[in-house]
Amino acid sequence: MNQHNSAFASKGEPLLDLAALRADTPGCETVIHFNNAGCGLLARPVHRAMVEHLDLEARIGGYEASAASAARIGDFYAAVADLLGCGPGNIAFAASATDAYTRALSSIPFQPGDIILTTRNDFVSNQIAFLSLRKRFGVEIVHAADRPDGSGVDVDAMAALMRARRPRLVAATHIPTNSGLVQPIAEIGRHCRELDLVYLVDACQSVGQYPMDVSEIGCDFLTATCRKFLRGPRGTGFLYVSDRVLRAGYEPLFIDMHGARWTGPDTYLPVESATRFEDWEFPYAAVIGSAVATRYALAVGIEPVSRRTPQLAARLREQLAQIPGVRVLDRGPRPAALVTFDVAGWSPEPFKQALDRRRINSALGYREFAQFDFADKDVTWALRLSPHYYNTESEVDEVAGAVAEIAAGSPAGGR
């Protein structure tokens, strides 16, 4: 991305030029955006690429526009492959991380009595999907225990369950949406490879925030959205599918004419690549926007982002921990840039609304989003603040100051 070369050092190691990156991010002019774990702010090149394709569709037609933009559309697969350290044929586009996740789940031929081995810190929709599979197919859901200090799954205990129970699927979320916990997914993956178990990783909150190498992780499936720390458009995500799973013939339950060829009246043949997990219809402007967002992230540099973004979160936690009535909830030795806390005496919506009035973007989480984790922490709700690399230290300080002011006040009906 030559238009951004001024933001990088000439010796090959990318350096974050905050002025240039913020100038590339129109939202920085209007809000303090600490909801990147919900949806990151679009960069100008991403927005421009999407608008250009929509204009092209309006001028020449949707099918014709996708044909004319075939190279830009194809770069989605190449860009995500570069991000994950795999081949383009291992990548499928999806409408969201949950869409990708359920497509992966649907490819596994569960039988009554099969075991899904997972953790206590997972994404709510994944757990609901497991419960749905239990209701329909009679699978058993086993949750591996956490370490005694609550700082993530006990990998040794999980490995022991793998050996003893031989699960049909092992599933883990790298960073759950309800806290900054970072799970040891590569350690889990090593045990899965040793035991030849199918391994599904939810990387929704980590893609764009940390380097991700699917070979190092050892996963068979990996799902993510593009809208969060990758800063792509809403309604986009992807599914990584390993070569061994593709060779084994895994395919989604409802495969369509894009993912398979109708070879005879009673036969069909899945395509060889991960695109067998896709459907025919695509929001091509969003696909192109996701490709540009991925290239943008790679140009900025995932390594420096992985250092700066958690540092901003650590600065925020340190200040929040000093505020009377505020309890920071994140655990683990090196938490990610998802900062969660509750405030004594406050109801969730009024507190968030007070931040909204200050043009500080945040998000709320509730017990139903994290039944195990929030029960362990004895909370019914938490406010989540999630900075990204384009945020500044002064914004962190301003947000912490706003939380302190709100927590000290007592607006009518606010508690």
Side-chain angles (χ1 to χ4, degrees):
M1 297 175 60
N2 293 332
Q3 65 266 41
H4 298 290
N5 283 343
S6 61
F8 310 111
S10 60
K11 295 182 179 179
E13 171 65 20
L15 298 175
L16 298 184
D17 183 338
L18 287 181
L21 293 169
R22 288 175 67 82
D24 241 358
T25 308
C28 289
E29 301 172 5
T30 56
V31 295
I32 297 178
H33 189 67
F34 274 34
N35 191 20
N36 292 282
C39 189
L41 293 176
L42 291 180
R44 294 184 191 277
V46 177
H47 178 263
R48 183 167 58 246
M50 295 174 66
V51 171
E52 287 173 353
H53 187 77
L54 289 174
D55 286 345
L56 185 63
E57 286 186 345
R59 292 198 307 273
I60 70 173
Y63 279 72
E64 293 74 16
S66 63
S69 301
R72 301 182 77 189
I73 293 166
D75 192 50
F76 170 81
Y77 303 92
V80 175
D82 288 346
L83 187 71
L84 300 183
C86 62
N90 297 111
I91 302 301
F93 177 83
S96 67
T98 299
D99 177 43
Y101 203 91
T102 54
R103 288 172 188 269
L105 285 178
S106 79
S107 73
I108 300 172
F110 289 107
Q111 299 292 326
D114 281 349
I115 291 170
I116 298 174
L117 176 59
T118 184
T119 73
R120 291 166 54 85
N121 287 279
D122 199 4
F123 182 53
V124 51
S125 294
N126 302 346
Q127 291 290 314
I128 291 173
F130 299 157
L131 292 170
S132 177
L133 288 169
R134 185 175 71 181
K135 180 189 295 185
R136 180 163 295 192
F137 296 110
V139 303
E140 182 181 352
I141 307 166
V142 176
H143 294 89
D146 284 338
R147 290 188 287 266
D149 62 358
S151 60
V153 68
D154 184 328
V155 177
D156 291 339
M158 195 171 193
L161 286 168
M162 292 182 200
R163 291 189 293 270
R165 305 298 303 274
R166 302 296 303 186
R168 187 68 181 83
L169 174 69
V170 177
T173 294
H174 194 193
I175 302 172
T177 191
N178 50 281
S179 81
L181 176 68
V182 181
Q183 296 275 41
I185 54 172
E187 294 180 39
I188 297 170
R190 283 194 290 273
H191 292 288
C192 289
R193 292 285 66 76
E194 291 171 3
L195 298 170
D196 194 30
L197 299 174
V198 177
Y199 183 29
L200 167 59
V201 171
D202 179 337
C204 197
Q205 296 290 3
S206 46
V207 167
Q209 184 178 178
Y210 291 109
M212 303 295 294
D213 185 326
V214 289
S215 296
E216 179 182 339
I217 296 168
C219 55
D220 294 295
F221 297 103
L222 182 142
T223 62
T225 185
C226 298
R227 76 176 189 272
K228 296 179 184 287
F229 290 94
L230 202 56
R231 302 180 61 193
R234 297 193 68 176
T236 62
F238 59 81
L239 170 65
Y240 159 80
V241 187
S242 70
D243 288 332
R244 80 173 195 131
V245 161
L246 291 172
R247 288 193 299 267
Y250 284 69
E251 62 187 58
L253 178 59
F254 298 107
I255 192 168
D256 83 347
M257 61 185 287
H258 181 75
R261 302 292 173 263
W262 195 14
T263 53
D266 299 312
T267 59
Y268 70 90
L269 183 66
V271 300
E272 293 184 358
S273 72
T275 56
R276 71 178 65 162
F277 286 85
E278 297 177 342
D279 289 334
W280 168 263
E281 185 56 32
F282 285 84
Y284 282 108
V287 175
I288 291 170
S290 297
V292 174
T294 304
R295 291 295 182 198
Y296 191 95
L298 290 167
V300 171
I302 302 298
E303 285 288 350
V305 169
S306 72
R307 293 189 293 270
R308 175 169 177 79
T309 299
Q311 286 173 355
L312 290 172
R315 181 187 182 104
L316 180 59
R317 283 192 194 93
E318 182 178 353
Q319 295 188 44
L320 292 176
Q322 307 305 313
I323 301 171
V326 170
R327 178 170 57 132
V328 177
L329 302 171
D330 307 304
R331 297 173 178 174
R334 290 177 296 276
L338 286 74
V339 180
T340 58
F341 62 95
D342 68 349
V343 186
W346 276 83
S347 298
E349 289 81 6
F351 199 92
K352 184 183 183 303
Q353 290 164 3
L355 285 174
D356 291 344
R357 289 192 290 271
R358 290 166 168 81
R359 294 186 178 275
I360 297 171
N361 291 348
S362 63
L364 288 170
Y366 299 92
R367 176 70 71 91
E368 67 182 88
F369 296 174
Q371 290 286 356
F372 295 113
D373 184 49
F374 277 18
D376 291 343
K377 295 171 179 174
D378 193 26
V379 293
T380 58
W381 68 276
L383 194 131
R384 187 186 68 196
L385 297 170
S386 47
H388 206 2
Y389 62 84
Y390 53 75
N391 292 119
T392 66
E393 285 77 3
S394 62
E395 286 182 323
V396 169
D397 299 343
E398 183 175 345
V399 170
V403 170
E405 290 178 6
I406 298 167
S410 54
R415 293 177 183 243

